[in-house]
Amino acid sequence: MKITLEDVKQNEEVKQLILAAKQQLDALGYTEHGDRHLSIVSQRAGEILRTLGYDEDRIRLAEIAGYMHDLGNSINRIDHAHTGAIIAGNILKDMGMDIKERTEIMMAIGNHDESSGTAVSDISAAIILADKSDAHRSRVCKTNISLFDKHDRVNYAVTDAKLRIDKEDKKIVLDLTIDTKMCPVLDYFEIFMDRTMMSKYAAKYLGLWFEVIINDTNLL
C-alpha cells in the first residue's frame, strides 16, 4: 500500500506527536520545530530529489521522512533522531506501509542529527540538506530580544534563506541574507559549522558540491 504525505499529515498520532514535540521544545527554549519547519523540510527534500531526476517513489518517501523527522522531540531532545525513527516506523506500519519503504524512512530519520548521523542514502542526504538549511528569523519563538541566546540571535539575523540546486553544475547552494547588526557572519559558522559540514557530506553523497553564500559572498 502506497502511503502518501497527505496520509501522514492527516494521521491523528502524527498530529498529536507534533504538538507534544512543540510543547517540549517551547519549554526548553528551542527554535520552532512544528508544522512550518516540518513542511519546509518535507518540501525541500522532495524538491532536491525531483531536481536530480529521482523517481516519484523516492521523492514520496523523502517528503514523508522530512515531515516525520522530528517526532522524537515528543519524547526528549536527546537522541530524538533515533527515537523518532522508531516512532515513525511503528506509525507507518500501522498505516500499512511495507517494511522496505518503512526502513528507508527510518534510516533517514535516524541519521538526520549531526551529533550521531550522516548521509547513508539518497533520502537521508536530502533530509539532511533540507533540515540544516532551514535557518530563518521566523523560527525564533521568543518575542523578547533581550532573552535571545546565540542560536536565537543567529536565526533571527537570517532574513532570507534559499536552497538552490544546480543540476548542470552539480552543486547545491545555501544562499543566506544575514542582518549583521543582529550578529556577525562568523557567529553563523560558530553555531552551524557541524551542520554545514554534515550538509557538505550529504551533498557529496548525491554527487553535488555544497556552497554557502552569505550576503552575496561565497564563503564555502
Side-chain angles (χ1 to χ4, degrees):
M1 179 179 179
K2 286 193 176 182
I3 304 300
T4 67
L5 174 61
E6 193 56 36
D7 293 330
V8 171
K9 286 185 174 183
Q10 295 306 315
N11 183 279
E12 194 58 37
E13 283 187 72
V14 173
K15 290 179 181 179
Q16 291 303 316
L17 288 166
I18 290 172
L19 289 174
K22 181 182 184 305
Q23 179 183 352
Q24 181 154 210
L25 294 184
D26 284 351
L28 294 171
Y30 276 76
T31 51
E32 185 268 337
H33 283 71
D35 191 69
R36 174 209 158 278
H37 173 64
L38 302 179
S39 295
I40 286 174
V41 174
S42 174
Q43 186 272 329
R44 284 184 182 172
E47 190 59 31
I48 289 168
L49 295 191
R50 184 174 288 108
T51 302
L52 295 176
Y54 283 82
D55 66 46
E56 285 302 316
D57 278 333
R58 302 304 285 178
I59 294 166
R60 173 175 57 87
L61 295 180
E63 289 175 341
I64 291 171
Y67 195 74
M68 301 182 85
H69 80 280
D70 269 340
L71 293 184
N73 285 311
S74 62
I75 296 175
N76 198 296
R77 179 64 182 173
I78 298 172
D79 282 337
H80 75 282
H82 306 149
T83 54
I86 295 168
I87 291 170
N90 287 334
I91 291 173
L92 293 170
K93 181 179 181 180
D94 290 342
M95 292 177 70
M97 182 180 281
D98 70 58
I99 182 60
K100 186 175 180 181
E101 291 195 345
R102 292 202 313 271
T103 301
E104 291 279 7
I105 289 173
M106 292 169 69
M107 188 190 309
I109 293 173
N111 276 285
H112 85 270
D113 189 69
E114 63 272 16
S115 65
S116 60
T118 190
V120 293
S121 69
D122 49 0
I123 294 171
S124 70
I127 297 302
I128 288 166
L129 288 162
D131 182 39
K132 307 314 170 193
S133 63
D134 187 24
H136 194 269
R137 65 171 41 182
S138 59
R139 293 197 70 184
V140 179
C141 299
K142 295 172 188 170
T143 56
N144 188 340
I145 292 179
S146 67
L147 298 178
F148 282 6
D149 61 17
K150 191 173 285 189
H151 282 85
D152 294 322
R153 226 170 30 251
V154 169
N155 273 282
Y156 195 81
V158 179
T159 59
D160 192 29
K162 297 184 181 73
L163 190 65
R164 302 196 309 269
I165 308 116
D166 188 334
K167 187 178 179 180
E168 193 123 327
D169 288 342
K170 294 184 179 293
K171 67 181 180 180
I172 186 164
V173 180
L174 177 58
D175 191 350
L176 303 173
T177 301
I178 290 182
D179 179 359
T180 55
K181 294 177 182 176
M182 178 60 60
C183 82
V185 169
L186 282 177
D187 279 6
Y188 174 86
F189 285 105
E190 181 184 348
I191 294 295
F192 292 134
M193 182 53 75
D194 287 346
R195 301 180 193 183
T196 300
M197 296 312 296
M198 190 184 199
S199 297
K200 195 173 182 68
Y201 185 82
K204 183 179 179 182
Y205 190 97
L206 293 172
L208 302 171
W209 181 257
F210 181 69
E211 291 183 0
V212 178
I213 295 174
I214 298 180
N215 295 350
D216 298 321
T217 301
N218 193 323
L219 297 175
L220 186 66

